[in-house]
Amino acid sequence: MAAGPLDQLEQTLERSIENVRQVRIVVSDFQPQGQPGLTQKLQQVVKDLQEIDKLRPSVADIQVPLEVFEYIDQGRNPQLYTKDCMEKAHSKNEEVKGKIDSYRMFKARLLLELTHVFPKEMAVYRATRGDERGGQ
C-alpha cells in the first residue's frame, strides 16, 4: 500500500530531523576523520529538503490552526490541541445548555403567572398558538 503525501512528508521530516541532529553531534566535536560522514549527512539533509519541496503542492491545501504552532512554541504536545478544543467545546456546550434550561423554566413560570393575572388574554394566546398548555 502506497503511503499518502502526509505520511511521506512525516517520514521525510523525521529522517531530516534525525540527520540534522547527527550533523550537530559531529560538528560539536569535529574531527577531520569525520568529514566523509558529515558530508554524507549534509547531502542527505539537502535531499530531504528537496523531497519536502516536491511534496509541498500535495499538502498545500492543509490548514493548520495557528494555536497548534503556539503549543509547539510553548513546548507542549501539539496533539493536546484537539483535546483542549474538545474540552472547551464541551464546557461551552454545558454552559449554553444551562442557559437554555433557564430560559425554558423562565418561560414556563412566566406563562403560569400570566395565566393567573391575565386568564382571558392567555386563553386567546393559547388558542392562537394552538397550544393547550400555553407554550410550555
Side-chain angles (χ1 to χ4, degrees), residues 11-70:
Q11 291 170 359
T12 305
L13 285 171
E14 287 175 358
R15 185 176 59 232
S16 182
I17 289 168
E18 178 60 23
N19 284 328
V20 169
R21 186 188 69 78
Q22 290 175 6
V23 166
R24 189 190 64 140
I25 292 169
V26 171
V27 168
S28 68
D29 187 30
F30 184 74
Q31 302 292 325
Q33 63 269 20
Q35 183 66 46
L38 177 61
T39 302
Q40 178 187 5
K41 291 294 179 189
L42 288 172
Q43 288 173 344
Q44 184 60 46
V45 169
V46 170
K47 287 179 187 175
D48 290 342
L49 291 174
Q50 289 170 341
E51 187 175 335
I52 290 168
D53 190 53
K54 288 178 188 173
L55 290 170
R56 188 170 33 110
S58 62
V59 294
D61 61 335
I62 296 173
Q63 300 290 320
V64 178
L66 291 175
E67 292 86 3
V68 172
F69 295 109
E70 291 173 11

Side-chain angles (χ1 to χ4, degrees), residues 70-85:
E70 291 173 11
Y71 271 60
I72 293 168
D73 289 343
Q74 295 168 358
R76 297 172 67 192
N77 184 342
Q79 293 177 348
L80 292 177
Y81 174 75
T82 304
K83 178 183 174 224
D84 291 346
C85 284

